[in-house]
Amino acid sequence: MSESELAVIKPEALKTYIWLQCFDGSIQQVEEEVAMFCPMICREIVKNGTGSSKNHAIVLPERVNPASLSLILDYCRFHQVPGRSNKERKSFDEKFVRIDTEKLCKLASAALGLQLRPLVDLTCGALARIIGGKTPDEVRDIFHLPDDLTEEEKLEPLKNINDDPTIRLLNRLYAKKRKELQERQKLKDVQTQEEQKDERSLDELLCFINGDGDSRGGKAAKNKRKNKRRKDQAKNPAKANSEPVNKEGASCVVPHKADSGNISGLPCRRADLQGDIDPFDDAELDDGLDPAMREEIDREVADFAMKLNLVWPERMRLDHDQRMESHVGARW
Amino acid sequence: MGRGAAAALPPWHALPDEVWEHAFSFLPTDSDRGAAAAACRSWLRAERRSRRRLAVANCYAASPQDAVDRFPSVRAVEVKGKPHFADFGLVPPGWGAAAAPWVAAAADGWPLLEEFSFKRMVVTDDCLEMIAASFRNFQVLRLVSCEGFSTAGLAAIAAGCRNLRELDLQENEIEDCSINWLSLFPESFTSLVTLNFSCLEGDVNIAVLERLVTRCRNLKTLKVNNSIPLDMLASLLRKAPQIVELGTGRFSADYHLNLFSKLEAAFAGCKSLRRLSGAWDAVPEYLPAFYCVCEGLTSLNLSYATVRGPELIKFISRCKNLQLLWVMDLIEDHGLAIVASSCNKLQELRVFPSSPYDAAEQVSLTERGLVDVSASCPMLESVLYFCRRMTNEALITIAKNRPNFTCFRLCIIEPHTPDYITHQPLDAGFSAIVESCKGLRRLSVSGLLTDRVFKSIGAHADRLEMLSIAFAGNSDLGLHYILSGCKSLKKLEIRDCPFGDKPLLANAAKLETMRSLWMSSCSLTLGACRQLARKMPRLSVEVMNDPRRACPLDSLTDESPVETLYVYRTIAGPRSDTPACVQIV
């Protein structure tokens, strides 16, 4: 061997390696300075003297699989170099967590097992960014989680007292709507788009329902002393204006998309107010209103609809679905 | 070591709870946590057990025991009680919102609790004593707009909470028991970081205060009350130059050059001062003492300060880095114009009326001031503005200037005030606001308004969470537009509007998606309220009538008018602590 080759070999031979064994039996060797970056491994080496040879490899916790270990060692290898700038480190970190969710989860778990705090924070922070802003369904999809909560338990999160808990009603509505939509998707392609819109607004609702506890900080207390009567300028009595809504007759031209249920000449009449409120109430719809009064209310609501001309088509569809459910208990 | 029998590894998503708990700790909002908790059983478990901070926005939405059962590891809890309109005297006395059940449940179920915040609740001395006795690591007590306690309760806190870091009393009604509560902080006690007793009416022992301030080297926030004279303030500042937030109290004395120099020197030593409030009876001649800290100030709260004139404007305009400014309308339009050009980093502006009931004493604060600020302050996103006149054109201009508003509260003092130039309703102006400000979360409307504005709000204000309406609208349609639109609406408070039963019943389902609805002096009947309660068992429907009325609500007919309706969703069922004038239908 030439002198130069010898020179190359020599430093390599002097490097110390640490031997690590995963739970599946596979053994890896890694440079000492890289391994020492990890507190748990460091402790093993110093306290128990393990890791110095293949036969006395450090046995890592079960949750550290070989792939994750490899990634972790890459992380350690980069960060243990003292000369790097904060910018470099940050850039490395950002790229480092751009991996698929499954790998990220396993990596987070492994990092926790090895007690490598900066990596734990990095990976869990990345996981949080994936979770944040999503609905339970979306999250279940992404993380392949089992849908193993009962209806009752799903209600529990709504007891997210942050914002006040809610609605078995809307929860059930959502669950049933989902099923329906899935079925209908197979049948009718045309309506897919609108229904997705529907679903999305329900998703938003639920997300919101599930609580938004961040009470806006920074809003200091009201200026009570001076502004006690901010709105109480009651010199003029309230305009007691109870003009009835303009009744434009029976024919309402409310567009229906899924019209299969409403065949009567007055689709609006089916806009059963009481039904809207309690679609899943299988009990008799006894709301104490006589039919005439209900008809009047229906007509007025229809009038509102015409004037609004806004959300009504979607709402009617929604109502229609609800009514399909509650047809069993429907009065008429 | 050969390969061991490979145990069937759990599916990759079945990670130890620890991983999820840690991930959840990075979630920015509680609604994210709620969504995560609804995903699957293991996440529900992980989220529940790792929740450290809990905010209960309506104390009657769930029972204290529910909270303790569901979130066993909570360390900090915030509970809010009375509806917002309680600030304007619209909630009858004795309405409820007692803190006691929450303190009792916490004492039992959260022994490691460190923080309690109460807003608009009745907190008694017993509560404070229980807090002092039950939580060995209690650190933060924040009481905002509360009542029911006295300095005796404060004494219990001072004596019992060894690790207290924050005692923050904002706008409370505190009974003075002539107890020297400050002296009950032991001499060994040094952990205070925040001390705010600005709302306390009585005297405090100044020597004791000074000793306390001296030994609490970590004190960052100090807000004193009326009883601290100006020269004492200067001494306190010299003992605590590390102060970040200061409430000056009265800040009033006859002008003496000596005192002025003393103050100036004291402020010069406060290199970290960033937030300033108080100056209640400030004398203009003393304002220049603040000059050396102006550059560093990010927050200035002069909402109780009656000082006016060029000295005030000069002072504020020196605060180039101001992000938050609360002033009285004594600043007037020309003052605001100067502020607008000097304080470009302004994010929040509140202008309060100096004499709201006395129309005779006019200050020259009009729509001009707000237009100027909106034009010159690109980061302005939150406004509360009391004035006497407005135009649609001004509002449209403001909307165009500042589409980044998240909170816009305009209060034209006289009800039904139209555009003072065109005499039209202000529908167009407010419509422009909601159309332009896509991120608007809070809105208060005022002036002459028809149903048209509510149509705009319902259609465009997708992110709106809180809406306050008074003396507006002309028919049921107005309310219907709001309840059938406004996708994100959580709190709706209405007074003196011609809204009746029909939109309420037609949109009953919407109410379950909201935190609460307040309607007073509208056109509601008892029958509709009863019907609403019947159909919506998960809502609590509270009807309040004039306490002086002898007739119990039970005996009234369906047609009887309802003075006040307060509806909120709850899982706790009807509450049992209502006074006589409140009935849950």
Side-chain angles (χ1 to χ4, degrees), chain A residues 121 133 140 144 148 153 162 166 208 211 215 219 222-223 227-231 233 277 300 308, chain B residues 22 31-32 39 41 55 78 88 171 304 352 357 386 409 413 442 481 490 495 502 512-513 536:
Chain A
D121 285 350
R140 237 176 268 134
H144 302 300
D148 59 357
E153 281 169 321
N162 300 324
T166 348
F208 150 73
S215 53
K219 254 205 267 184
K222 189 113 217 155
N223 200 336
N227 307 309
K228 256 210 142 112
R229 299 279 179 264
R230 179 180 81 158
K231 285 176 172 156
Q233 309 300 326
I277 293 164
E300 288 190 7
L308 289 179
Chain B
H22 208 81
S31 62
D32 285 334
R41 196 174 289 278
E78 175 189 4
F88 309 110
E171 310 255 339
Y304 287 116
F352 295 100
Y357 312 118
F386 282 83
R409 296 192 279 164
I413 295 175
R442 187 167 178 182
Y481 285 140
K490 293 187 195 172
R495 60 163 294 182
K502 297 194 193 81
E512 274 192 332
T513 71
M536 311 292 281

Side-chain angles (χ1 to χ4, degrees), chain B residues 107-328:
Chain B
D108 202 35
W110 291 327
L112 298 178
L113 192 72
E114 296 169 359
E115 263 186 56
F116 245 134
S117 297
F118 288 116
K119 183 167 182 178
R120 288 196 202 97
M121 294 189 72
V122 176
V123 180
T124 58
D125 284 342
D126 283 344
C127 290
L128 295 178
E129 279 161 24
M130 190 180 260
I131 289 175
S134 312
F135 308 108
R136 57 183 164 81
N137 196 26
F138 198 72
Q139 297 175 23
V140 174
L141 181 65
R142 195 173 299 118
L143 301 176
V144 180
S145 302
C146 295
E147 55 178 350
F149 63 104
S150 73
T151 45
L154 295 180
I157 296 287
C161 300
R162 306 278 154 95
N163 298 319
L164 195 69
R165 278 189 297 113
E166 293 185 32
L167 180 60
D168 191 358
L169 307 169
Q170 300 178 26
E171 310 255 339
N172 302 292
E173 309 225 342
I174 309 175
E175 198 190 316
D176 188 7
C177 278
S178 306
I179 222 181
N180 193 355
W181 61 279
L182 267 182
S183 63
L184 283 161
F185 284 112
E187 284 300 318
S188 56
F189 173 79
T190 57
S191 50
L192 215 52
V193 174
T194 294
L195 180 62
N196 174 7
F197 60 95
S198 50
C199 60
L200 200 62
E201 294 283 318
D203 289 332
V204 293
N205 186 316
I206 293 174
V208 170
L209 176 63
E210 192 169 21
R211 279 205 304 278
L212 182 65
V213 166
T214 308
R215 67 178 185 272
C216 295
R217 303 257 39 106
N218 289 323
L219 194 68
K220 296 280 189 303
T221 297
L222 177 64
K223 293 176 152 180
V224 303
N225 72 347
N226 255 333
S227 69
I228 307 296
L230 212 44
D231 61 339
M232 193 57 215
L233 185 67
S235 306
L236 287 172
L237 285 175
R238 276 204 311 279
K239 300 287 194 315
Q242 76 279 5
I243 214 98
V244 173
E245 179 168 5
L246 175 70
T248 66
R250 279 183 64 228
F251 207 77
S252 171
D254 294 332
Y255 184 79
H256 288 297
L257 185 57
N258 266 349
L259 183 50
F260 180 87
S261 309
K262 210 174 161 197
L263 271 172
E264 201 177 32
F267 277 115
C270 298
K271 306 275 186 239
S272 308
L273 191 59
R274 296 284 170 270
R275 298 191 289 275
L276 189 62
S277 62
W280 299 329
D281 298 314
V283 167
E285 288 79 21
Y286 278 117
L287 288 182
F290 289 128
Y291 281 3
C292 48
V293 296
C294 285
E295 195 77 25
L297 285 184
T298 57
S299 165
L300 184 58
N301 177 356
L302 298 173
S303 54
Y304 287 116
T306 49
V307 63
R308 59 195 300 176
E311 286 298 336
L312 171 68
I313 299 169
K314 221 186 302 181
F315 165 46
I316 300 178
S317 58
R318 280 170 161 252
C319 303
K320 307 259 181 255
N321 291 309
L322 218 53
Q323 294 168 14
L324 179 147
L325 175 64
W326 293 12
V327 275
M328 298 276 254

Side-chain angles (χ1 to χ4, degrees), chain A residues 155-166:
Chain A
L155 174 61
E156 265 205 77
L158 299 181
K159 290 184 192 177
N160 209 341
I161 321 184
N162 300 324
D163 236 50
D164 317 36
T166 348

